[in-house]
Amino acid sequence: MKKTLLGAVLALVGMAGAAAADPAHGVWQTEVDDGAYAYVTLGACGGAVCGTISRTFDNTGEYQSPNLGRQIVIDMVPQGGGEYEGSVWRPSNDRIYIGRMNVSGNQLTLRGCVAGGLICARQTWVRIQ
């Protein structure tokens, strides 16, 4: 009886952990920007989602960018329905923008905006892991 109860408790704890995982968490491939692209690892940072550049690639293959380990997705707070709001850093011009993110399955749309969100640039990322 004790083993059955313990097994049931462990199963519930495992399901709760899986349910708590944010759909944005994982490794995502960016679009090509200024001749290079990256893998960005998204994970929890407090109650938000943050993303760090974990690998970089150009037309010759993988290379050691000085941006490795830099945070590119900053404090994206879940708004519900796969929507997030926070900030995004663009390595090519070293600027931080108002960020909005939408996750739908294995696709992530990231927007960086200025002028209160009136002018935005957008990239679509695909999930690697």
Side-chain angles (χ1 to χ4, degrees), residues 36-113:
Y37 67 95
Y39 286 1
V40 176
T41 302
L42 295 181
C45 58
V49 173
C50 294
T52 303
I53 298 172
S54 49
R55 296 175 72 183
T56 51
F57 304 85
D58 62 14
N59 60 355
T60 63
E62 188 167 4
Y63 74 103
Q64 296 298 305
S65 167
N67 295 323
L68 283 169
R70 294 275 316 259
Q71 193 174 75
I72 190 169
V73 175
I74 306 162
D75 295 328
M76 287 286 184
V77 178
Q79 304 296 308
E83 299 282 334
Y84 300 77
E85 292 181 358
S87 301
V88 61
W89 172 63
R90 185 173 183 204
S92 63
N93 64 3
D94 196 27
R95 292 196 56 197
I96 294 176
Y97 296 92
I98 297 167
R100 292 194 171 83
M101 189 168 77
N102 178 280
V103 177
S104 180
N106 290 325
Q107 184 172 309
L108 180 152
T109 303
L110 184 69
R111 291 181 307 185
C113 305

